[in-house]
Every structure is written in C-alpha cells, then in structure tokens.
Amino acid sequence: MELVCPAGTPATLRAAADAGADAIYCGFADETNARNFPGLNFSPEELSVSVAYAHERGAKVLVAINTFAQAGNTGLWKQAVDNAAACGADAIIAADIAVLDHAADKHPDVRLHLSVQAAANTPEAIGFYTETFGVRRVVLPRVFSVPEIAALNREIDVETEVFVFGGLCVMTEGRCSLSSYATGKSPNLTGVCSPPDHVDYAEDRAGRMKARLGGFTIDCFERGEPAGYPTLCKGRFSALGHTGYLFEDPVSLNAFELLEELAKAGVTALKIEGRQRGKAYIASVVSAFRKAVDGLSGGADASASIAALKALSEGGQQTTGSYRKTWR
C-alpha cells in the first residue's frame, strides 16, 4: 500500500520524502485548501522546487485544492489547479465539482483524487465522480468500518485511500458547520477550523479555566488540568443529564494494528494527517509507518516505533476511530 504523508511547509515536505513517503500531499497558501493556517503552505514557486525534490527521491506530490469554491468566484480555485499542474504535481485532490471539472478539462494528464471533503461513500456517488471527471482515487470518509471498506471496494473499480494516523477530524462528514456557526469561518469554505483569533481562555470564579471559541464556552478545566484547544466538535457538552464529548473525543487516530486488515480489504493508500505539524513529528510518524508497511511483506518489525508515537497523539491518547465503530 502507498504511504501518503502530509507537508505544511517545504521543510516538512523534505522531511517526509527523506523518511520514505511514497506520496506527499500539500496545499497553496490561500483559501483553496482546508489547512489554511498562518505560516503554513506553499507558494507556486516553493511548490515547484519541492516537487523536484520529492521526485528526485522517488516520491509523488499531491496538491490539495479541497475547499469548496465560492459561488460566482471560482477564479482562485481554477488558478490553483493551473499552478499545481504547472509545478508538475502528480495529482490534484479536490471535492468541488467546478474544480474537478476545470482540472479534467484543462489538465487531463494530471491525476484526480476525490477529497474526503466530497464525502463519497456509496458506489453510486463514487461512480458519478469517476465517470464524469475521470477520478482515479477516492479518499474515503472516516465513518467506515474495515468490512464496509472491503464491501465497497468489491463494487467499485477505483483506488481507495484511508486515514490511519493523526487528528480524527470528520469535516463535511458532519461537523464543520459548527466552526462556521461560531466564527464565520470553516475548513470547508475558508480552510480554517476554530481560528486562533477567535480563541480565548478565562478563569471563572471557582478558578476553573474556560476555553472559548467565538464567545462560546467549549470546555472547562479544573485547576491544574491541562487546558485543550477549543475545537467545537471536540468540546464537552451537557445534554440529557450527561456531560461529555458528545461529538468526538480529543484523541488521535492510530490504525497501525489494522494495516493488514486494510490491505486485505483492498485499500490502495494509507494517509497520515498533520499538515500543521513540524519536521520532527513528520519524520517520526512517516518513518514508523514506513517500517510498518514494509513489515507487511516480511520487512522490519515496527511495533516499537509505532508504540513511541503515542507521545505524538492528541492528549497522549489513541483510538481506531470508526474502523471498529464501538460507539454503535
């Protein structure tokens, strides 16, 4: 299976390539990608140099143009597609129909991958994108169990890519409207989730730390308890007499133990999340999963390396997420 790794800067792209990534995904420094954070992402000039570096080391570069274009104002997204093609990108990851149409029409030689943002989770939906735009790979929504992935793969004739490590974000699969509601910005439209300029922390009269987003209290921490970042889908809420993480726990995905099952299910590519992470994180995670993937065919034992990744997980906690659907 192909190992697809993140890069938020030219330096992390080089780290991913050097650590053994088969493919590296990144985005431009604007609203066309869903990780549009200050200090991250690439200019066209940086991408061109980075593509050359990756290709020299046998790695492909996939450009995420995966937000939804604004109605009546698709120019920025079309220009991003043109720039990615001009830089020699191996594939474009997109969800918006206007973006896919422009890429298929103007740059038919560049592979198209369907972003998880499109939330295509049926043979019929996937068939529409493959037949209409020539999509070659689908990044599956993070709501499938392994048997469901296997069943889907038997009914489609396109590559599938799944997330195996990193932040367990569900994006259009359900929750990004929450960020938009609180701040006016969301990953789906502007590439920004819970933007820092809308975040503040304040102590209440009891000495507890309140983490707020856009004026809404998202979480409350007792004195001495580490205060997490206030992301709406990972906040604690009270409902029906119960207080807890009703939408999503603040933990990281680690599907290492499921790699063999995912291979048998027909998965083509394994995706690591983390374009906002630094070089050390990227190098550690990519190296560990490189050993794990190689180990499936009789290579080195990666269990020690994977175990060490717990320290890089959100809150030091890990989950297999929806792959096992224990919440059902």
Side-chain angles (χ1 to χ4, degrees), residues 251-317:
V251 299
S252 291
L253 173 69
N254 187 351
F256 163 71
E257 62 188 72
L258 302 177
L259 295 188
E260 188 171 355
E261 293 178 45
L262 290 170
K264 291 178 180 177
V267 168
T268 304
L270 306 171
K271 190 166 196 169
I272 295 169
E273 186 275 339
R275 282 193 281 154
Q276 72 276 29
R277 303 285 192 165
K279 291 189 298 181
Y281 174 95
I282 296 299
S284 297
V285 175
V286 174
S287 295
F289 271 88
R290 178 75 277 159
K291 291 179 182 177
V293 173
D294 292 345
L296 293 176
S297 54
D301 180 12
S303 56
S305 298
I306 293 295
L309 294 182
K310 184 175 181 180
L312 300 176
S313 300
E314 189 173 350
Q317 299 182 69

Side-chain angles (χ1 to χ4, degrees), residues 13 17 22 24 47-62 87-91:
L13 183 146
D22 294 309
I24 304 162
L47 181 64
S48 182
V49 172
S50 297
V51 167
Y53 185 94
H55 285 175
E56 287 173 0
R57 284 151 185 80
K60 293 175 282 191
V61 175
L62 323 176
C87 290
D90 298 280

Side-chain angles (χ1 to χ4, degrees), residues 238-256:
S238 295
L240 302 176
H242 172 72
T243 298
Y245 296 101
L246 302 184
F247 294 105
E248 192 173 312
D249 290 328
V251 299
S252 291
L253 173 69
N254 187 351
F256 163 71

Side-chain angles (χ1 to χ4, degrees), residues 202-210 220-224:
E203 281 193 13
D204 65 12
R205 292 180 180 178
R208 297 175 301 179
M209 182 64 70
K210 288 187 174 181
C220 189
F221 304 90
E222 298 299 328
R223 190 185 296 274

Side-chain angles (χ1 to χ4, degrees), residues 178-253:
L178 292 172
S179 179
S180 182
Y181 174 79
T183 69
K185 297 181 179 180
S186 76
N188 311 126
L189 298 176
T190 54
V192 182
C193 173
S194 304
D197 55 336
H198 287 72
V199 171
D200 70 275
Y201 297 87
E203 281 193 13
D204 65 12
R205 292 180 180 178
R208 297 175 301 179
M209 182 64 70
K210 288 187 174 181
R212 301 187 299 195
L213 178 70
F216 296 94
T217 298
I218 307 305
D219 215 334
C220 189
F221 304 90
E222 298 299 328
R223 190 185 296 274
E225 184 183 5
Y229 191 86
T231 302
L232 267 162
C233 62
K234 295 185 179 181
R236 275 187 282 196
F237 300 94
S238 295
L240 302 176
H242 172 72
T243 298
Y245 296 101
L246 302 184
F247 294 105
E248 192 173 312
D249 290 328
V251 299
S252 291
L253 173 69

Side-chain angles (χ1 to χ4, degrees), residues 103-136:
D105 182 49
K106 301 298 182 183
H107 306 286
D109 294 334
V110 179
R111 280 175 62 104
L112 279 179
H113 293 184
L114 188 65
S115 170
V116 67
Q117 286 272 52
N121 58 12
T122 65
E124 293 81 6
I126 293 169
F128 167 77
Y129 287 105
T130 57
E131 293 164 17
T132 307
F133 306 112
V135 164
R136 305 277 295 280

